[in-house]
Amino acid sequence: MSQKERVFADGFRFERKESAPEYVVGRLSLKIDEAVAFINKHANANGWINLSVMIGRSGNPYVELDTYEPKQSTEHQEVNPASKSGLKLKPTPEPEVEEEDDDELPF
């Protein structure tokens, strides 16, 4: 299995602060000119770009382009997310509706 070449996200920088509160993962900084050029270059047909925050061998975080593309099938298939996990879904019963007497006021 061949590994795709990594594309580092120009203009993006992610930093972790050890002194930050537990709920703060880190800080993402953008150098506008470089980041916009990178986004314009790598945006997909729908106008999206996916980035991954990774930890390098040095222990420092970096941002790279996520190049994963799901395989496209030739025919349209409806996918049930539960089928992947082995769960079997039970049909949802229709809710019972009580008939109201129009002569009575609801209060």
Side-chain angles (χ1 to χ4, degrees):
M1 180 161 106
S2 66
Q3 188 176 22
K4 291 185 178 182
E5 184 177 328
R6 292 179 182 216
V7 179
F8 297 101
D10 297 330
F12 293 81
R13 186 173 68 198
F14 181 82
E15 297 176 5
R16 297 176 88 173
K17 298 282 186 190
E18 298 300 322
S19 60
E22 185 178 305
Y23 57 87
V24 176
V25 176
R27 181 172 135 180
L28 182 63
S29 300
L30 298 154
K31 189 169 184 182
I32 301 299
D33 294 341
E34 291 178 16
V36 169
F38 183 84
I39 290 168
N40 287 332
K41 180 179 179 181
H42 295 284
N44 66 18
N46 295 324
W48 287 90
I49 186 170
N50 294 314
L51 302 173
S52 296
V53 177
M54 312 292 279
I55 302 294
R57 292 184 190 132
S58 65
N60 296 325
Y62 64 93
V63 181
E64 82 175 25
L65 179 66
D66 182 350
T67 57
Y68 171 77
E69 292 183 24
K71 294 180 182 177
Q72 299 292 326
S73 65
T74 55
E75 59 184 67
H76 177 66
Q77 298 176 357
E78 188 172 321
V79 177
N80 179 353
S83 65
K84 291 182 180 179
S85 64
L87 295 174
K88 294 183 180 180
L89 297 177
K90 295 179 183 177
T92 306
E94 292 290 325
E96 293 182 22
V97 179
E98 294 182 27
E99 292 184 25
E100 294 183 24
D101 188 5
D102 291 337
D103 295 336
E104 292 185 28
L105 295 175
F107 49 90

